[in-house]
């Protein structure tokens, strides 16, 4: 399968998921009070925003795929990394299971840091130092915003508590 075909299929899939969420899933499963004054605080805003961005991403993938040349890849190259792909899938599932078990013990912030780093190294990032810095800074900044500015309680662990 060529890159063009992959982009076209991903684009169609993203648009289909977006339409499914906008017209079926969000109206059926997300409830919102009618007296919300600020649209950003409405429980409907972010699901619709994400569904719309997914649709725009799908349109971008379609446009890129339609502009790409029609090249056929070698059939043998499509299956070279099958064993490695399954091992990465098993690694991702392991990371998710471990996340569920360590979240109550370490808390959301520390667990997010560990998950970010382990996922970055699982997919063999080409920028390990950047991934490590982002794994530390992003959860801390998000914690600082939500806990101290927005006043939202962030789950803390049993061992280390953030101020």
């Amino acid at each position: 399968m060529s890159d063009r075909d992959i982009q076209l299929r991903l684009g169609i899939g993203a648009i289909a998921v977006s339409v499914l969420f906008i017209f079926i899933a969000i109206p059926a499963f997300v409830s919102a009070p009618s007296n919300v004054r600020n649209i950003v605080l409405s429980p409907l805003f972010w699901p619709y925003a994400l569904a719309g961005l997914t649709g725009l991403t799908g349109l971008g993938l379609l446009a890129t795929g339609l502009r790409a040349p029609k090249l056929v890849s070698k059939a043998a190259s499509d299956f070279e990394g099958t064993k490695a792909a399954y091992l990465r899938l098993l690694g991702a599932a392991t990371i998710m299971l471990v996340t569920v078990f360590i979240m109550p013990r370490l808390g959301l912030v520390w667990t997010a840091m560990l998950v970010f780093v382990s996922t970055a190294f699982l997919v063999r990032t080409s920028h390990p130092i950047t991934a490590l810095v982002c794994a530390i800074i992003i959860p801390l900044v998000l914690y600082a915003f939500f806990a101290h500015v927005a006043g939202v309680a962030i789950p803390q662990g049993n061992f280390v508590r953030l101020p």
Side-chain angles (χ1 to χ4, degrees), residues 35-108:
N35 62 350
V36 177
R37 293 184 183 146
N38 190 350
I39 187 69
V40 177
L41 298 177
S42 171
L44 294 172
F45 177 75
W46 290 110
Y48 277 122
L50 291 174
L53 289 173
T54 302
L56 288 175
T57 302
L59 288 174
L61 284 167
L62 274 179
T64 305
L66 290 173
R67 288 186 14 219
K70 292 183 180 181
L71 298 176
V72 179
S73 64
K74 295 184 257 177
S77 67
D78 288 341
F79 300 103
E80 287 176 358
T82 304
K83 184 176 179 181
Y86 282 121
L87 286 174
R88 283 192 302 274
L89 182 63
L90 180 65
T94 304
I95 290 171
M96 288 184 230
L97 286 173
V98 169
T99 301
V100 170
F101 290 112
I102 66 171
M103 181 89 60
R105 290 154 187 83
L106 292 181
L108 185 64

